[in-house]
Amino acid sequence: MYVAAKGGEKAIRNAHALLAKRRRGNRNLPSIGLDQIAQQLTLAVDRVMAEGSLYDVELAALAVKQARGDLIEAIFLIRAFRTTLPRFGYAKPLDTAGMQVRRRVSATYKDLPGGQLLGPTFDYTHRLLDTSLGQGGVGGEGHEGHAPATQPETSVEAEPMPRVTDLLGREGLIEGAPEDDGTEPFDLTRAPVSFPVDRSTRLQALARGDEGYLLALGYSTQRGYARSHPFVGEIRFGDVEVIFEAPELGFELSLGTVQITECQTVNQFKGSATTPPQFTRGYGLVFGQCERKAMSMALVERALRWQELGEEPGAPAQDEEFVLSHCDNVQATGFVEHLKLPHYVDFQAELDLVRRMRAEHEEERREAGLKEAAE
Amino acid sequence: MSAQALATGFSDPVDGAQATFRAAMWALSRPGRVEVLDAGLAPPAPLIPEAAALALALCDYETPIWLDEALAAMPAVAEFLRFHTGATIVADPAEARFALIAEPMAMPDFAVFAQGTPEYPDASATLIVQVEHFTGGGLLLEGPGIEARASFGATPLPADFAARMTTNRALFPLGVDLLLAGSGGVAGLPRSVTVWEG
Amino acid sequence: MNTQAIGGMPEITYNFAYLDEQTKRMIRRAILKAIAIPGYQVPFAAREMPMPYGWGTGGVQVTAAVLGRDDVLKVIDQGADDTTNAVAIRGFFEKTAGVATTTSTTEATIIQTRHRVPETALGENQILVYQVPIPEPLRFLEPRETETRQLHALAEYGLMHVKLYEDIARHGHIATTYAYPVEVAGRYVMDPSPIPKFDNPKLDDCPALQLFGAGREKRIYAIPPHTKVRSLDFEDHPFRVQKFAKPCALCAATGVYLDEVILDDRGGRMFVCSDTDYCNTRQEAGHRGEMGVPAESASSDVMPGLNPGIHAVPPGHPVQGVDGRVKSGHDGVPVESGREGDAS
């Protein structure tokens, strides 16, 4: 006699209760607040907003908390929420030249209008563990005396900071930004992608693509797999106003600001009999302060433009269908992790075949043996 | 905006759209079998409630609609459709995802509508054709969705209707799909169906 | 979706069956085209669902687009109603649509499935929704969508036949045992989803409507009722299905797909119906396999069918009081039959 418990529903309930318990951790410690996450784990929140494609600091902080710090899980939570949101309209394109800049560096010029602005960066920190952050009492971070000197983050009344690519463009040294021909860009969240895709679709996919994946691909372009000699023309991070134009109202209104990171690379030139040599560009734009992602995106974006720029294909980062089909971590994690779902029906089918083939193999050997013995 | 255009959408948008879609789904799944379609709509003439229900259930800003002459002649029809679906009304039938035809006897050749492409045969038009009656005879149907053979008929339909459907079938997997609506029902004639007179 | 401020965070409520109406319309249009072009994969703008890609998001979107308030929904995974993912998906629709659910194949108007076709013959007003991981039958021969789309456009399926024939040359068999490709209505080659090839013949001339949803890959396809579905094969290597040497150990059914259950570490195993509803129905009707439970001894929370025996906590922290697996096994190695159930 064989009986099995009908445990599915109850087991799931219990598993979720355990999950909630583990998420909460030690109940003697205070529950972490969303404001704490939003204020102190900013880069985690930024990544969740960027790859979740939804600019909402509070919801991203909630997702980070609910996901126990698993950022891909948090991104997934945000995406699943985002997909249900009704659309009221489309904002005008962001003007990054008008950014309230918090950080701006150029690797191509020592000095330039608006200057270099280091801003909040890990760059040049010594990567030494700072044990004082782990101390709660006097002398620790929780203590008032420990507070770092407050620095104004933005350059107050800063002089204008034109984009490096605009400066180059004035001399005709870099290819122009693509013309706005007024057509609505493809929206990959509303329509299925079919390859090949245009540049705006590529950029959309990369902007919500997985940071680690783009980092590895971008890195590969630096190591000879679709090398295009990049310079970081500029990387800037700061606040940009979102402008909404309501046709029925007949005027524009500001919806507020979002923080974004923009990276423009200046890459190896192109030229032909008809056009003089010019630098080309790769573009990266990400919600929040996500420099690694913005730079990786720019490298990969540039590599994907091989055809348009008459370059030789062959590297992984140039393969549009490959790069774009696998850059979404919500898709990737779902499909990789689905392998833990039951597959025993299919496995049974394979077991059957392997057993049968083994039996046949055995039979053949036996027959061969008999034949040999008879000879 | 006329009062009539504002007055009559589905009384329950969720259930109305679902029930209408289900009727259309079964209609295309079982060509020639008439599915009950009770929409409770009162659209501006000459648009009939059954065709209006299909349009409301299936069309939106992503699906340009083409209207035949009879429907285009009444601005209230376009107004009604625009208001309830958000769809644009197009003059070029080739641009339409859905075509609404109130006068089947005068309907244009299927070739004027999008047929899809070999790579994307789904990028083709669906024709919503208003009929007065389903007669249950006159045409014989064969193909996916039909066990053996089915007989089907509707009036009015052009005399060369079977020939048109044969031409359409020959394009498979390209071609247009038809939803015939009227008299409280909807019947489907997808491109996969073989039609002859009998 | 609506939000309503309660406390600090907004309360979130969702539309009937979760999806917004615009999304449903988009999916519904794709379904209609899929029905009109049997076996052709219609691209659709699959949405991100509140469950992972690869866990049935395609099937869930198709079900959500089709579902009405009067429907009776059954969800199975591996043939069973009580596998965890089936439970989760059923719960999703109970919560978001409030529809009636059932485990009975005959009572259901919509059956969402992963990896199996029910043993009980389906009827003409039923809809079978398959969850599909990789909808492209040519994907493992040609990974590029740009290429496979051309091959479908030209009905160029030589590649598939070459692959199957290479199997025969190498193994003496067609080595595809599940997700076995079919030709639909004489035109498109289609992936029937990872059902065992045992189930392929059930697709042919089926009175129910069969819908296939692949969320991550953003494709929907369909087989209308009574459509010709032929499993690819060769004259000298006709299509065959698995046949099991012994009947189900619980309900004594033959000619059904069985799951192998390992009973101990000494080779003990048993074979039981993968379709739990079919097995239970037979047992209720008095059919008894060699390891079956007498009907009167089965209490309400015990299902004498196959179940993966899922626990929420590690062994030693039992949350389930019932675990009566006993008995040494028997050898029920399946053998291949002749041309039984040829789909053509």
Side-chain angles (χ1 to χ4, degrees):
Chain A
M1 188 176 84
Y2 172 89
V3 285
K6 188 175 186 173
E9 239 154 293
K10 193 171 170 191
I12 289 174
R13 264 200 315 277
N14 287 334
H16 292 171
L18 281 175
L19 174 72
K21 192 175 165 199
R22 294 279 296 187
R23 185 192 58 68
R24 178 59 180 86
N26 184 344
R27 289 194 169 270
N28 293 326
L29 297 171
S31 173
I32 190 167
L34 297 190
D35 50 350
Q36 289 175 301
I37 294 170
Q39 287 296 313
Q40 297 176 43
L41 299 177
T42 33
L43 300 188
V45 168
D46 283 357
R47 183 174 173 196
V48 170
M49 294 197 300
E51 292 170 34
S53 316
L54 183 72
Y55 196 93
D56 189 313
V57 173
E58 198 180 19
L59 286 180
L62 171 65
V64 170
K65 177 173 178 171
Q66 188 178 329
R68 302 173 62 197
D70 177 339
L71 295 191
I72 292 183
E73 179 68 23
I75 289 160
F76 182 13
L77 290 170
I78 290 297
R79 289 271 194 93
F81 172 74
R82 177 194 195 277
T83 197
T84 65
L85 297 174
R87 293 179 180 217
F88 298 116
Y90 295 87
K92 291 179 67 177
L94 298 181
D95 179 15
T96 56
M99 177 187 283
Q100 178 89 356
V101 174
R102 292 169 183 269
R103 167 166 163 77
R104 186 253 204 138
V105 289
S106 168
T108 51
Y109 294 102
K110 186 173 182 182
D111 201 4
L112 68 170
Q116 308 257 15
L117 178 64
L118 277 187
T121 179
F122 291 119
D123 297 351
Y124 318 113
T125 59
H126 297 139
R127 267 60 172 207
L128 303 171
L129 283 172
D130 178 1
T131 51
S132 73
L133 297 182
Q135 292 161 11
V138 176
E141 206 190 25
H143 192 258
E144 268 182 33
H146 189 275
T150 46
Q151 295 290 335
E153 249 192 39
T154 45
S155 47
V156 184
E157 296 304 311
E159 56 179 305
M161 281 197 191
R163 290 173 295 216
V164 166
T165 45
D166 294 344
L167 299 172
L168 282 168
R170 242 164 258 163
E171 272 186 84
L173 286 171
I174 194 165
E175 58 171 336
E179 292 289 318
D180 181 0
D181 62 4
T183 54
E184 281 300 314
F186 182 82
D187 183 345
L188 60 75
T189 67
R190 309 303 279 182
V193 169
S194 57
F195 295 103
V197 299
D198 63 8
R199 192 176 177 195
S200 75
T201 309
R202 282 203 300 252
L203 287 166
Q204 279 176 54
L206 297 177
R208 58 184 358 221
D210 182 72
E211 177 177 316
Y213 174 83
L214 292 180
L215 174 65
L217 280 175
Y219 177 45
S220 75
T221 69
Q222 292 179 281
R223 293 193 65 260
Y225 293 88
R227 179 159 168 75
S228 60
H229 307 277
F231 297 95
V232 170
E234 181 179 329
I235 185 153
R236 56 169 63 198
F237 157 65
D239 304 30
V240 181
E241 204 165 27
V242 180
I243 307 287
F244 183 69
E245 193 178 5
E248 62 273 24
L249 297 179
F251 59 86
E252 292 179 352
L253 65 160
S254 170
L255 301 178
T257 61
V258 294
Q259 292 194 345
I260 55 168
T261 305
E262 181 186 56
C263 175
Q264 297 220 51
T265 57
V266 177
N267 296 61
Q268 197 171 50
F269 34 82
K270 59 155 188 176
S272 68
T274 50
T275 52
Q278 273 186 320
F279 289 110
T280 57
R281 51 171 118 199
Y283 190 74
L285 185 79
V286 191
F287 278 153
Q289 188 176 10
C290 297
E291 286 176 31
R292 185 186 300 123
K293 165 78 180 281
M295 295 173 76
S296 304
M297 176 177 167
L299 292 176
V300 175
E301 195 293 290
R302 176 60 182 75
L304 287 171
R305 296 178 61 205
W306 64 272
Q307 196 156 27
E308 160 200 356
L309 298 171
E311 295 166 350
E312 286 298 313
Q318 291 172 306
D319 188 331
E320 175 179 278
E321 189 171 338
F322 178 85
V323 171
L324 300 190
S325 299
H326 303 111
C327 70
D328 189 299
N329 53 23
V330 178
Q331 290 178 7
T333 199
F335 201 47
V336 167
E337 293 195 55
H338 107 284
L339 290 172
K340 65 193 166 190
L341 289 179
H343 283 76
Y344 39 74
V345 163
D346 294 345
F347 185 66
Q348 189 60 49
E350 296 280 80
L351 264 181
D352 165 44
L353 180 66
V354 172
R355 280 180 179 143
R356 189 147 26 87
M357 293 195 317
R358 286 172 62 89
E360 283 167 12
H361 183 74
E362 189 58 35
E363 180 71 10
E364 278 164 25
R365 276 186 42 184
R366 205 177 53 82
E367 276 173 18
L370 284 176
K371 209 175 278 176
E372 229 168 69
E375 276 165 5
Chain B
M1 190 69 58
S2 72
Q4 188 177 29
L6 283 167
T8 54
F10 288 119
S11 58
D12 181 330
V14 171
D15 294 345
Q18 191 272 340
T20 306
F21 160 73
R22 274 284 271 271
M25 183 191 80
W26 282 121
L28 284 171
S29 299
R30 305 187 284 222
R33 198 195 288 198
V34 180
E35 303 290 332
V36 173
L37 184 54
D38 175 20
L41 297 179
L47 189 61
I48 62 171
E50 296 84 353
L54 290 167
L56 264 54
L58 299 173
C59 298
D60 54 36
Y61 68 92
E62 291 182 338
T63 59
I65 299 175
W66 179 85
L67 302 177
D68 77 351
E69 228 170 273
L71 291 167
M74 301 302 291
V77 171
E79 224 170 84
F80 171 87
L81 292 170
R82 266 197 296 262
F83 178 77
H84 287 293
T85 70
T88 48
I89 310 294
V90 292
D92 180 0
E95 287 175 20
R97 288 283 307 275
F98 286 86
L100 286 171
I101 293 161
E103 287 187 343
M105 298 303 282
M107 75 177 153
D109 194 282
F110 295 155
V112 306
F113 300 104
Q115 312 284 313
T117 64
E119 289 79 21
Y120 296 96
D122 56 302
S124 62
T126 302
L127 278 50
I128 298 170
V129 181
Q130 298 189 172
V131 295
E132 285 162 23
H133 303 287
F134 293 107
T135 59
L139 298 171
L140 283 175
L141 311 181
E142 220 171 69
I146 302 164
E147 193 175 10
R149 221 175 247 196
S151 59
F152 173 73
T155 56
L157 285 177
D160 63 346
F161 186 72
R164 293 188 196 211
M165 291 302 294
T166 301
T167 309
N168 193 49
R169 179 65 183 83
L171 296 170
F172 190 87
L174 308 192
V176 298
D177 306 305
L178 275 62
L179 287 169
L180 278 56
S183 155
V186 56
L189 293 174
R191 70 192 75 180
S192 60
V193 73
T194 301
V195 180
W196 65 92
E197 289 171 43
Chain C
M1 198 227 53
N2 290 304
T3 58
Q4 196 180 16
I6 289 180
M9 297 296 285
E11 177 83 357
I12 299 165
T13 57
Y14 296 97
N15 194 23
F16 174 78
Y18 181 77
L19 296 176
D20 59 279
E21 290 301 302
Q22 200 280 326
T23 297
K24 285 184 194 168
R25 267 193 306 275
M26 176 272 295
I27 296 171
R28 287 167 178 166
R29 291 193 295 261
I31 290 172
L32 296 186
K33 288 299 175 193
I35 289 167
I37 318 167
Y40 165 73
Q41 303 163 51
V42 181
F44 82 113
R47 302 296 195 239
E48 272 134 342
M49 299 298 287
M51 60 197 63
Y53 284 116
W55 298 52
T57 58
V60 166
Q61 288 181 77
V62 168
T63 297
V66 168
L67 194 68
R69 294 188 203 276
D70 299 336
D71 276 309
V72 180
L73 179 68
K74 171 181 166 79
V75 183
I76 51 174
D77 187 339
Q78 313 296 301
D81 297 276
D82 59 347
T83 31
T84 35
N85 207 42
V87 169
I89 290 172
R90 188 166 54 242
F92 175 76
F93 283 113
E94 283 168 352
K95 188 152 66 178
T96 60
V99 293
T101 58
T102 182
T103 58
S104 161
T105 300
T106 47
E107 278 174 21
T109 55
I110 299 174
I111 302 171
Q112 180 169 329
T113 181
R114 176 168 172 264
H115 293 191
R116 275 311 310 276
V117 179
E119 306 289 2
T120 308
L122 299 175
E124 71 162 14
N125 288 314
Q126 291 183 302
I127 303 165
L128 185 58
V129 178
Y130 295 76
Q131 300 172 202
V132 183
I134 301 278
E136 179 49 71
L138 305 168
R139 184 60 70 235
F140 299 109
L141 310 172
E142 170 50 66
R144 283 177 195 283
E145 168 71 14
T146 36
E147 297 291 327
T148 53
R149 190 154 284 279
Q150 279 299 319
L151 296 175
H152 284 294
L154 301 167
E156 176 50 68
Y157 296 121
L159 204 58
M160 181 62 90
H161 283 97
V162 169
K163 193 264 171 199
L164 296 177
Y165 215 86
E166 277 174 1
D167 275 4
I168 294 168
R170 191 174 309 149
H171 306 293
H173 294 274
I174 291 175
T176 304
T177 57
Y178 59 90
Y180 190 102
V182 295
E183 179 199 80
V184 180
R187 176 57 176 80
Y188 283 98
V189 165
M190 189 197 91
D191 183 327
S193 88
I195 55 172
K197 67 178 180 174
F198 177 90
D199 283 340
N200 274 24
K202 297 176 190 163
L203 274 61
D204 181 42
D205 196 30
C206 175
L209 171 63
Q210 300 174 76
L211 301 175
F212 298 77
R216 192 178 38 77
E217 299 282 341
K218 300 179 167 53
R219 297 289 184 272
I220 286 172
Y221 50 103
I223 304 175
H226 300 295
T227 296
K228 184 146 188 65
V229 179
R230 183 180 73 83
S231 300
L232 300 186
D233 66 353
F234 301 96
E235 291 235 324
D236 52 343
H237 274 87
F239 175 77
R240 299 169 172 195
V241 298
Q242 296 97 334
K243 192 183 178 194
F244 293 83
K246 290 207 164 192
C248 169
L250 297 176
C251 78
T254 56
V256 296
Y257 198 78
L258 303 180
D259 280 329
E260 179 172 340
V261 180
I262 308 277
L263 296 169
D264 53 46
D265 58 0
R266 299 179 304 279
R269 62 171 75 99
M270 65 190 287
F271 286 83
V272 295
C273 286
S274 120
D275 183 334
T276 49
D277 172 61
Y278 184 79
C279 197
N280 291 341
T281 307
R282 279 181 56 85
Q283 290 179 73
E284 279 159 22
H287 297 279
R288 211 52 83 226
E290 61 182 45
M291 297 170 90
V293 193
E296 53 278 13
S297 77
S299 69
S300 62
D301 60 340
V302 176
M303 189 184 66
L306 180 68
N307 177 268
I310 318 115
H311 298 266
V313 293
H317 304 82
V319 291
Q320 300 160 336
V322 188
D323 192 344
R325 53 191 77 188
V326 284
K327 253 326 199 320
S328 64
H330 61 282
D331 196 357
V333 179
V335 296
E336 179 116 320
S337 74
R339 207 183 159 82
E340 182 193 274
D342 187 346
S344 59

